[in-house]
Amino acid sequence: MDIPKTYDKNREAEIYARWEKAGYFRADAASDKKPYTIMIPPPNITAKLHMGHALNNTIQDILIRFKRMQGFEALYMPGTDHAAIATETLVVKALAEQGITKNDIGREGFLKKLWEWNELYGGTIINQLKRLGFSCDWGKQRFTMDEGLSDAVLETFVSLYNEGKIYRGERLVNWCVKCRTSISDAEVEHEDKESSIYHFKYPIDGEADSFIAFATTRPETMLGDTAIAVSPDDSRYAALVGKFAYIPMCDRKIPIIADSYVDPEFGTGVVKITPAHDPNDFEVGVRHNLPRINILNDDGTINENGGAYNGKTREEARLKIIEEMTERGLYIKTEPLSHAVGEHDRCGTVVEPLMKLQWFVQMEELAKPALEAYTSGELRFNRERFGKIYKNWLDNIRDWCISRQLWWGHRIPAYYCPNGHITVAKIAPAACGTCGDTNLTQDPDVLDTWFSSALWPFATLGWPQKTPELEKFYPTDVLVTDRGIIFHWVVRMVFSGQKFMGELPFKDVIVHGTVLDEIGRKMSKSLGNGIDPLDIIEQFGADVLRLMLVNGNAIDSDTRFFSERLEPTRNFLNKLWNATRFVLMNLEDYHGYESGENVARETEDRWILSCLNRLITEVTENLEAHELGHAAKKIVDFIWDEFCDWYVEMVKPRLYSKSNDATAKASRKAAQATLREVLIAAVKLLHPITPFITEDLFLALRNPANPSTEYGREMQSVMLSHWPDFTGCNFDNPAAEKSIERVKEAVRGIRAVRTEKQVPPSQKISVVIIPADTDANDLFANAKAALALLAGAATVDVNAANSEPPAGAISVVVSGATIYLPLDSLVDTEKERARLSKEKKKLEQELARIDSKLSNEGFVAKAPPSLIETEREKRENFAAMLAKVETELKGT
RNA sequence: GGUCGGUUAACUCAGUUGGUAGAGUGCCACCUUGACGUGGUGGAAGUCGCGAGUUCGAGUCUCUCACCGACCACCA
């Protein structure tokens, strides 16, 4: 049989194509199996996938494959997001490079460009997902702007509108002067900036030489001031309340009012009020019925309300006003100030609060059940702190501004007639619903991109239609997402699901960390420190990337993408590949034993099966609990340490035995059966994480007589075979485990001496073991052949207990035996005494530690009995070993 | 300003109900033994950020502080 020494990662694409062709990822709504559903967080069609997607989707695919193997009808629903503003910005930029603007090509032409963009990037993303091995049901793939989702969006909008939960109103919105659109609070990033605070004073109207001093960080907004406010409790200004201040630039008198919003301790205790350009001032304005003067155009320049400043930019106006105030003797001073400035997260432009007529979703009532779901414990987060983020957001919920002044997105289904009536309908109405006027225009704005993704868990399944898919697969089982979009997305899916499906869209939320670069920074385009998953796949394969991303990692903490971790991961898969190769090479005359059949198993067989049994239990538990890092690490450790380093080595003498003796043959077959069984189970456990290589290995192990058989139609893939489960096989075997642990201890002891004495592996030594009792005698006698191989011995003699030790030998005391290595020429009495003394000291220290513990009344009284028992057993063992060491010391 | 996270071997990180500190990489020494040198064997290496507390016992629980990081936030 000819199997290459290394796994060919280039087979991944071929294996994937095979799966896809066979329809293994298809989830059937008519199936009798229990459903298990995960919705992919639809990637934005803005660019290629990055490492964050790779992690996010790997977690999902592991869970999906695990559940599919467990016999669930598992649906991994794929799709993409149109990402309204993000994509539009990119396309605008791309057009600008050709000297084209949106208006040049018009709405229709522009949208055509966007659909072309979607074809290109949406397609790229899908191919990347496939390349990473994700087992999505591609037949069900959706896009947030496709027909079905668009219908769901309209349905939602109309229904919320009819309920009065969507309204249109003039409010202060976050306005991006560059993108010329409103954005939601969540899209505003606050960053502390070094800027200045300017101190001015306004004259008090009608009183010569009387002024009121205040400070502002935005002098240009003075043009829109409609009041001056002080604290009601501030005696300093009490006399001024009710009087008027005078704004010279605008020739405007504004009232001096008292409002509790003002903190008398801060600054001068005086705040200028600009209701049209500051959210707090807006509130104050509402309370005091102040006029709202909008001084800005959509592009951020001063409008006609700014009088002489009309047409100037924000920055120009600011300087000019400072100048003018100075000339008028009303400027006091400028101080440096570090304060938070809101910026648009997409373009970095300073956000301007602006009065606008926009569409809003009234959040108060929708938020209540969403909050209740969390506080009642129905909605769970994998870490409590993520739940707190969720709760905090809902506690401070504000109405959601959903209109965007963009073209790419779901156009708002509101139609206006010349008489000022609004008609909201899914299908463009022929006439105004109020006055019957047929001259209607549709609102030019589109909806916030999250409006559609909020519906993702059920709209993708066919809602508002009552489809079999919706019936079968909703609610989904778990949502896996990045920390960054808990409130953007998770919150909105929750209340949407509750509102329209009457049921939470999922009960478990897994929030994972961010993939950082090698020095702990976020990967970003601007830093140029991003790593393309496809580059890694090109070099190492998807299996390596997937395993590396989860192995040993705490799911909730950020992880650095450390390229040095790739090689060890690849090495592991190579190790697994070769372990399988070894097993296959030794199965040539194997004619099949099925699990549970009566096989002449030996102690090491029972040991490895016992370890495997525990591994399966633990890995299953870990996966159920979404602790992928633990699961992966345990499988890797088992395969490498227990299986390869110990079991395979121990079993070699049995495999290589040429004896035709019936016992020897039975023993060989038992070894073959165990090797195969254990490896098949291990490969299955690993399959959700590294699906490609395990598929190949499984198929080979299934049919060892002809492992190179091409994937036949009748052959099932790994994912459809069952998740390993040894319940009822009685493989749990503590006695075998204890025995093998002793063998391992003996082997390590001998190896340590060999290394110390620099005995090369090629030099075979003889070993004499004098066991402490009959149990140990049986154990070591049975393990003679394995011991010989593992310790590089030509002969292993197990003498009777208490028999005379050989002369001139180095002695090693282990649990249950003293081992003698007759290495006459190498024995140096002085050094031996030193070594044994060191050993003695170590044992004495161990004993002292245990004794102090056991003689501690508090410990004996309060520690769990099992722990005390363990300590006593250890004490016994150490005491016996110490006695042996002392005997040896006397002998030298 | 508020909330949260991190601080464990030279490096990157695990450490699931508190019970004698682990892995990988790197380093040192040895080895091509019939699966694998993308390998094997042995080894060195940590006062678990500082200080205190609870406990028979603390990397693990509580508090203080320090440094790093994330998020939230309307203080002019």
Side-chain angles (χ1 to χ4, degrees):
Chain A
M1 145 188 1
D2 193 21
I3 309 169
K5 284 191 177 183
T6 51
Y7 178 62
D8 178 11
K9 65 180 187 309
N10 297 319
R11 290 181 45 70
E12 290 181 347
E14 179 200 325
I15 293 171
Y16 195 92
R18 215 157 63 188
W19 285 332
E20 220 188 330
K21 196 174 161 200
Y24 289 134
F25 306 149
R26 205 176 299 136
D28 183 2
S31 159
D32 292 334
K33 294 176 179 179
K34 276 175 71 179
Y36 184 85
T37 314
I38 295 179
M39 297 282 166
I40 200 169
N44 290 348
I45 55 161
T46 44
K48 298 183 293 186
L49 296 186
H50 53 68
M51 214 43 93
H53 291 113
L55 173 64
N56 177 257
N57 298 324
T58 295
I59 293 168
Q60 291 154 22
D61 196 48
I62 290 170
L63 294 175
I64 281 284
R65 285 181 183 265
F66 165 58
K67 286 291 168 182
R68 195 181 283 127
M69 287 174 77
Q70 275 191 327
F72 286 78
E73 190 67 24
L75 169 61
Y76 189 8
M77 171 68 87
T80 48
D81 194 305
H82 68 288
I85 192 166
T87 314
E88 176 156 334
T89 307
L90 286 174
V91 174
V92 166
K93 206 185 279 176
L95 288 174
E97 278 166 19
Q98 305 167 42
I100 305 171
T101 69
K102 268 167 82 172
N103 289 317
D104 291 344
I105 52 177
R107 187 159 190 147
E108 215 170 294
F110 184 68
L111 288 179
K112 197 166 160 264
K113 292 279 179 201
L114 270 145
W115 283 104
E116 284 167 12
W117 174 282
N118 177 47
E119 277 298 307
L120 185 64
Y121 284 91
T124 304
I125 285 166
I126 299 308
N127 287 330
Q128 282 181 297
L129 291 172
K130 291 181 179 178
R131 194 59 200 80
L132 276 150
F134 302 136
S135 58
C136 305
D137 185 345
W138 296 109
K140 296 188 174 64
Q141 183 187 334
R142 301 301 294 270
F143 175 51
T144 49
M145 290 263 287
D146 67 24
E147 209 176 307
L149 253 87
S150 297
D151 184 57
V153 164
L154 293 178
E155 175 77 24
T156 308
F157 188 97
V158 172
S159 133
L160 285 174
Y161 176 81
N162 288 340
E163 249 187 84
K165 288 206 167 55
I166 283 184
Y167 63 91
R168 192 178 188 226
E170 192 166 61
R171 290 285 185 286
L172 268 192
V173 295
N174 305 298
W175 185 265
C176 178
V177 298
K178 187 172 174 216
C179 304
R180 305 250 184 123
T181 181
S182 58
I183 56 177
S184 70
D185 290 337
E187 288 166 309
V188 179
E189 266 175 15
H190 293 272
E191 201 180 335
D192 272 338
K193 287 248 161 127
E194 290 304 323
S195 67
S196 303
I197 182 160
Y198 306 90
H199 293 254
F200 300 105
K201 54 187 176 181
Y202 281 151
I204 305 296
D205 183 52
E207 296 183 15
D209 293 329
S210 182
F211 302 91
I212 186 160
F214 60 91
T216 179
T217 52
R218 299 167 64 212
E220 67 276 15
T221 62
M222 287 158 68
L223 298 170
D225 285 356
T226 56
I228 284 283
V230 298
S231 165
D233 309 319
D234 197 334
S235 55
R236 291 175 296 177
Y237 302 108
L240 292 177
V241 175
K243 295 185 176 173
F244 287 81
Y246 178 72
I247 311 176
M249 286 90 65
C250 326
D251 187 25
R252 185 157 68 232
K253 284 191 265 180
I254 57 173
I256 296 170
I257 59 173
D259 194 284
S260 55
Y261 157 65
V262 181
D263 175 3
E265 304 294 321
F266 189 88
T268 58
V270 179
V271 183
K272 67 184 213 50
I273 302 297
T274 323
H277 295 287
D278 181 280
N280 298 305
D281 294 7
F282 183 90
E283 299 297 325
V284 175
V286 169
R287 284 197 286 275
H288 296 270
N289 209 13
L290 298 172
R292 304 198 273 256
I293 304 175
N294 178 16
I295 59 158
L296 290 175
N297 293 312
D298 287 355
D299 62 0
T301 58
I302 306 293
N303 67 16
E304 65 281 4
N305 290 330
Y309 292 85
N310 188 359
K312 295 199 186 316
T313 66
R314 288 180 287 183
E315 294 74 19
E316 289 166 355
R318 175 175 299 184
L319 294 173
K320 200 86 173 80
I321 283 172
I322 295 169
E323 209 173 285
E324 183 173 347
M325 290 295 278
T326 308
E327 279 165 15
R328 293 176 186 268
L330 298 173
Y331 167 83
I332 302 171
K333 62 179 175 182
T334 304
E335 288 177 326
L337 179 78
S338 165
H339 74 132
V341 175
E343 292 176 350
H344 185 194
D345 62 359
R346 292 284 163 201
C347 67
T349 309
V350 174
V351 167
E352 198 66 51
L354 220 58
M355 297 284 309
K356 283 284 169 185
L357 204 48
Q358 301 281 348
W359 289 93
F360 294 86
V361 176
Q362 197 182 308
M363 286 309 301
E364 201 184 337
E365 274 182 54
L366 289 169
K368 268 186 206 159
L371 192 57
E372 168 63 19
Y374 171 70
T375 49
S376 71
E378 197 189 356
L379 180 70
R380 297 177 296 264
F381 287 79
N382 59 330
R383 296 291 183 274
E384 210 43 60
R385 61 193 157 97
F386 298 129
K388 281 184 193 164
I389 294 176
Y390 173 92
K391 180 173 182 297
N392 183 267
W393 176 260
L394 282 169
D395 280 339
N396 300 298
I397 196 80
R398 293 201 274 170
D399 283 359
W400 174 18
C401 176
I402 49 169
S403 44
R404 295 290 183 278
Q405 292 63 53
L406 305 168
W407 288 350
W408 178 235
H410 304 96
R411 193 161 171 183
I412 291 172
Y415 302 85
Y416 309 115
C417 77
N419 306 316
H421 303 131
I422 302 173
T423 307
V424 169
K426 281 180 81 170
I427 299 163
C432 171
T434 310
C435 65
D437 195 303
T438 54
N439 185 15
L440 297 176
T441 38
Q442 185 174 4
D443 194 303
D445 291 354
V446 301
L447 290 163
D448 180 12
T449 193
W450 298 103
F451 194 91
S452 54
S453 29
L455 316 177
W456 190 249
F458 47 95
T460 50
L461 294 170
W463 186 90
Q465 256 72 58
K466 283 197 167 84
T467 61
E469 283 75 20
L470 189 62
E471 178 64 29
K472 176 86 180 173
F473 297 108
Y474 189 92
T476 71
D477 288 86
V478 30
L479 179 85
V480 184
T481 189
D482 186 80
R483 181 160 10 85
I485 53 175
I486 290 175
F487 31 81
H488 271 118
W489 195 41
V490 179
V491 167
R492 286 164 182 163
M493 277 193 288
V494 169
F495 71 68
S496 302
Q498 288 175 317
K499 175 77 187 166
F500 295 103
M501 293 298 295
E503 202 175 350
L504 284 177
F506 38 76
K507 287 184 177 165
D508 278 300
V509 182
I510 300 175
V511 180
H512 61 255
T514 310
V515 184
L516 307 171
D517 73 1
E518 298 203 0
I519 56 173
R521 300 171 306 179
K522 271 189 183 170
M523 289 187 185
S524 73
K525 267 190 197 140
S526 52
L527 283 172
N529 59 347
I531 295 171
D532 187 341
L534 286 190
D535 287 347
I536 303 300
I537 290 173
E538 196 67 32
Q539 217 180 330
F540 293 93
D543 280 340
V544 168
L545 177 60
R546 292 169 61 123
L547 177 56
M548 194 213 96
L549 284 172
V550 297
N551 189 17
N553 286 343
I555 199 166
D556 59 312
S557 63
D558 292 353
T559 46
R560 298 188 191 190
F561 189 91
F562 224 61
S563 55
E564 289 165 33
R565 289 172 61 174
L566 288 163
E567 284 196 28
T569 307
R570 179 205 55 189
N571 294 354
F572 164 72
L573 291 180
N574 183 61
K575 185 78 177 172
L576 174 62
W577 177 260
N578 280 290
T580 308
R581 210 170 134 241
F582 170 82
V583 171
L584 292 171
M585 288 166 80
N586 287 285
L587 287 180
E588 299 203 11
D589 62 343
Y590 174 81
H591 296 300
Y593 283 95
E594 290 311 316
S595 170
E597 200 172 317
N598 198 12
V599 180
R601 298 202 206 270
E602 310 223 350
T603 309
E604 61 261 28
D605 303 333
R606 290 192 289 272
W607 162 73
I608 195 73
L609 284 168
S610 188
C611 292
L612 173 67
N613 190 51
R614 189 172 50 248
L615 176 75
I616 291 170
T617 308
E618 289 181 7
V619 166
T620 307
E621 281 169 6
N622 285 147
L623 290 178
E624 297 281 7
H626 309 141
E627 298 289 354
L628 311 191
H630 287 145
K633 190 170 187 329
K634 281 173 190 169
I635 302 166
V636 168
D637 287 350
F638 173 83
I639 291 173
W640 207 320
D641 299 343
E642 311 291 17
F643 188 73
C644 291
D645 287 349
W646 288 103
Y647 182 69
V648 165
E649 295 304 324
M650 283 181 183
V651 118
K652 278 179 178 172
R654 292 159 64 192
L655 296 173
Y656 298 159
S657 162
K658 299 281 188 287
S659 168
N660 271 327
D661 172 77
T663 315
K665 280 171 95 174
S667 175
R668 184 163 88 242
K669 290 206 167 185
Q672 290 173 320
T674 310
L675 279 169
R676 179 169 171 274
E677 269 175 295
V678 171
L679 197 50
I680 285 179
V683 156
K684 284 185 181 179
L685 290 177
L686 200 56
H687 180 258
I689 306 171
T690 58
F692 295 109
I693 188 172
T694 49
E695 168 90 355
D696 268 355
L697 296 181
F698 175 74
L699 291 179
L701 286 162
R702 262 177 71 96
N703 186 8
N706 191 1
S708 60
T709 296
E710 246 326 289
Y711 193 80
R713 252 184 322 183
E714 75 285 355
M715 274 189 155
Q716 290 204 317
S717 81
V718 173
M719 87 189 88
L720 293 180
S721 65
H722 299 299
W723 184 249
D725 180 2
F726 284 174
T727 310
C729 287
N730 231 354
F731 282 152
D732 183 37
N733 197 328
E737 289 196 38
K738 192 177 168 189
S739 296
I740 296 302
E741 283 312 317
R742 295 210 154 172
V743 171
K744 284 161 77 173
E745 189 184 339
V747 169
R748 286 199 194 98
I750 299 168
R751 281 172 175 171
V753 170
R754 292 189 62 122
T755 301
E756 193 188 332
K757 299 296 172 194
Q758 301 196 316
V759 182
S762 50
Q763 186 183 331
K764 301 300 173 198
I765 59 171
S766 47
V767 171
V768 176
I769 296 175
I770 299 189
D773 51 46
T774 50
D775 280 357
N777 183 72
D778 292 348
L779 167 67
F780 288 112
N782 280 334
K784 267 160 82 170
L787 268 167
L789 194 80
L790 292 165
T795 59
V796 175
D797 293 320
V798 180
N799 292 355
N802 302 321
S803 59
E804 200 58 30
I810 291 171
S811 53
V812 183
V813 176
V814 296
S815 303
T818 308
I819 299 169
Y820 296 92
L821 310 174
L823 294 164
D824 321 285
S825 59
L826 293 169
V827 180
D828 176 328
T829 313
E830 276 312 302
K831 282 189 180 166
E832 278 316 293
R833 286 197 70 86
R835 194 173 59 81
L836 285 165
S837 298
K838 201 175 152 194
E839 191 62 21
K840 182 182 170 202
K841 201 174 162 194
K842 216 171 103 188
L843 286 166
E844 282 168 346
Q845 281 171 352
E846 292 288 355
L847 277 173
R849 190 186 56 76
I850 295 177
D851 281 340
S852 80
K853 222 172 187 179
L854 288 173
S855 63
N856 182 330
E857 283 177 30
F859 177 76
V860 179
K862 293 176 181 173
S866 61
L867 184 73
I868 296 171
E869 186 50 34
T870 313
E871 291 291 320
R872 291 215 166 107
E873 277 172 22
K874 274 190 210 162
R875 208 210 105 84
E876 222 170 282
N877 187 35
F878 285 137
M881 286 170 72
L882 180 63
K884 292 285 184 195
V885 168
E886 280 167 346
T887 311
E888 293 306 316
L889 266 171
K890 270 182 210 151
T892 50

